[in-house]
Amino acid sequence: MHRRPEGEEDAAFLFALHAADHGASFSMLPPPLRDLLLQQTYDGKRLTYRARYPDARWEILEADGAPIGRIVTDRGARGLTLIDIALLPERRGRGLGARLIAETMDEARITGLPLRLTVAADNPGARRLYERLGFVPGQANELHTELVWTPPAAPGA
């Protein structure tokens, strides 16, 4: 798997990735309305992330020269934030997500700062994965829970 910066040429892939993740929520709607809502949720999510994390790294994940997912991270004074991670459905369940998270944890370990992320309340599978990797719950509301992983202290610290 290879990472590269996200570019304008990735727009169609990123929308398809979003639709693969969220299309089921709108599957009962007529196609024109479903497509409109998918576009609105995609645009809203993108604008929110860009406004909240203006210095984030937006990366496309590739395998065999083809895009298979994306990861968005931000390094701030409070630590590293895993903003978004998404893989095509056919690439899930193979350990790629865990590998990407472990790589991000390594980056946090190097900085000595915590790694934060937010998981949706309706995504128990993701939450189980994060907790298995050592993340602990932080602030929560009915829609999302913040999870935090703190790197172990350096020996002799």
Side-chain angles (χ1 to χ4, degrees):
M1 183 172 47
H2 167 74
R3 293 184 190 206
R4 65 167 174 79
E6 178 184 307
E8 294 289 326
E9 70 277 8
D10 297 308
F13 167 73
L14 290 167
F15 180 76
L17 185 62
H18 175 78
D21 275 348
H22 303 285
S25 302
F26 305 118
S27 63
M28 301 301 282
L29 299 173
L33 180 57
R34 179 199 64 217
D35 294 345
L36 175 65
L37 289 173
L38 279 169
Q39 187 67 54
Q40 288 177 338
T41 57
Y42 172 76
D43 292 342
K45 183 177 179 179
R46 200 164 171 75
L47 289 170
T48 299
Y49 288 167
R50 295 244 183 228
R52 190 172 290 160
Y53 303 100
D55 299 321
R57 282 186 319 218
W58 295 70
E59 297 174 294
I60 297 294
L61 309 168
E62 291 183 329
D64 301 320
I68 62 165
R70 79 94 181 267
I71 185 169
V72 183
T73 57
D74 184 70
R75 186 185 294 182
R78 291 184 55 222
L80 192 64
T81 302
L82 177 56
I83 301 163
D84 195 28
I85 185 171
L87 293 167
L88 290 172
E90 61 269 20
R91 295 294 184 146
R92 296 175 192 161
R94 300 179 184 184
L96 293 175
R99 183 173 132 200
L100 289 164
I101 295 163
E103 289 173 2
T104 309
M105 292 168 78
D106 287 343
E107 187 177 344
R109 187 178 294 112
I110 291 167
T111 67
L113 295 170
L115 173 59
R116 301 174 190 287
L117 59 86
T118 302
V119 65
D122 65 352
N123 194 348
R127 183 168 174 161
R128 281 191 302 274
L129 169 65
Y130 297 131
E131 289 179 346
R132 190 172 69 241
L133 293 171
F135 285 81
V136 295
Q139 295 180 343
N141 61 38
E142 54 279 348
L143 298 176
H144 298 95
T145 298
E146 179 186 56
L147 298 174
V148 181
W149 178 80
T150 304

